[in-house]
Structure formats: C-alpha cells, structure tokens
Amino acid sequence: MNAVLSKIAKGITVCSSEVFPNSDDDYFNFVYIGKIFLVADSYCMNPDCSCEETVLNFVQVYPREDRKPNSFIIRYKLSGRGYKIHDHGNFTRREIKAVVRYFTADEIILDLLNERYKEMKEKAKEIIS
C-alpha cells in the first residue's frame, strides 16, 4: 500500500486492480466489431477531491497474432457527460468515440464505474488514517 499512498500524495490516479487485487473483475473486457479490448480503470484517490472522473485505458489485444497491443487513454466523467482524450495511440478521434460509445452504452458500466469510484475514495480514507 506504500505505492498507493505515494500516488495519492502525488495526485496520480490509481488502478482499481492495484487497490483490490483479488477481485475477479480487475479489468473490463469486450469485443467491438471483432476487436478485443481490455479496459483498466484508474481513479483519483485524494479523499478531498470531488473530480468524479475515471481514467480509462483501452487496450486492443491481438491474442492469436504476433502484434503489440494498441491502446488509448481517456479521462471519463462519471456523470456520463463526456471525456477528454489523453493519449490517442494509433486510434483516430472517430474510432475512439465509437469504442467509448459502445463501451458505455449500457448504464450498468456507468453504475459500476461510479461504485468503484466510491470504493476507491473510501479505501483512500482508510489508507490515510
């Protein structure tokens, strides 16, 4: 947990799987037009911050091919009202928009991201105290 505490102090987002490593749902995964994606969700753990955002790292994987994964990173508003692209990878804005829209189309994902946000904030309070 020292690494997590250091990230909190530096204002760096922390991946939920780093705080809750025994979880069966460390990463999200889905298939979009035949492409396999893994999504890692990270959160600001400063208990005084009310940013209500998550950083989502979308990684396109190629399990049967000898290719390196391709990825992009966004900062997604947990209200569901937009995002900011932080790293395009080899994706166009249009491709990113389509993938993000597909991933967030089901309200269950938004509910789950909000739940994880709250869990991460509670864990931060626990770590700091």
Side-chain angles (χ1 to χ4, degrees):
M1 281 299 160
N2 287 338
V4 172
L5 188 57
S6 175
K7 288 181 179 180
I8 293 170
K10 293 177 183 175
I12 299 171
T13 61
V14 180
C15 191
S16 62
S17 64
E18 189 174 348
V19 176
F20 302 106
N22 296 327
S23 177
D24 290 334
D25 54 355
D26 283 350
Y27 303 97
F28 297 98
N29 61 73
F30 65 97
V31 177
Y32 172 68
I33 59 171
K35 299 173 183 177
I36 301 169
F37 285 89
L38 300 177
V39 183
D41 53 325
S42 299
Y43 303 87
C44 164
M45 289 186 68
N46 178 346
D48 297 328
C49 179
S50 60
C51 61
E52 297 189 12
E53 296 177 332
T54 180
V55 173
L56 300 174
N57 184 1
F58 289 78
V59 181
Q60 181 182 352
V61 294
Y62 306 93
R64 294 191 191 110
E65 299 175 27
D66 198 18
R67 294 171 62 183
K68 289 184 179 182
N70 188 12
S71 66
F72 65 88
I73 300 171
I74 64 169
R75 181 173 298 273
Y76 186 79
K77 294 184 182 298
L78 291 172
S79 64
R81 297 184 182 212
Y83 60 89
K84 178 180 179 185
I85 300 170
H86 283 277
D87 184 358
H88 285 87
N90 292 326
F91 292 89
T92 66
R93 283 189 180 277
R94 188 176 185 173
E95 289 171 319
I96 291 171
K97 181 178 181 180
V99 171
V100 171
R101 184 175 285 162
Y102 182 83
F103 176 68
T104 59
D106 188 343
E107 283 189 32
I108 293 172
I109 290 294
L110 188 57
D111 291 343
L112 187 54
L113 293 173
N114 275 285
E115 183 179 314
R116 286 184 172 197
Y117 172 81
K118 290 173 188 167
E119 289 173 351
M120 295 288 278
K121 291 291 188 176
E122 288 301 316
K123 189 66 172 181
K125 289 176 188 175
E126 212 177 280
I127 292 169
I128 292 172
S129 53

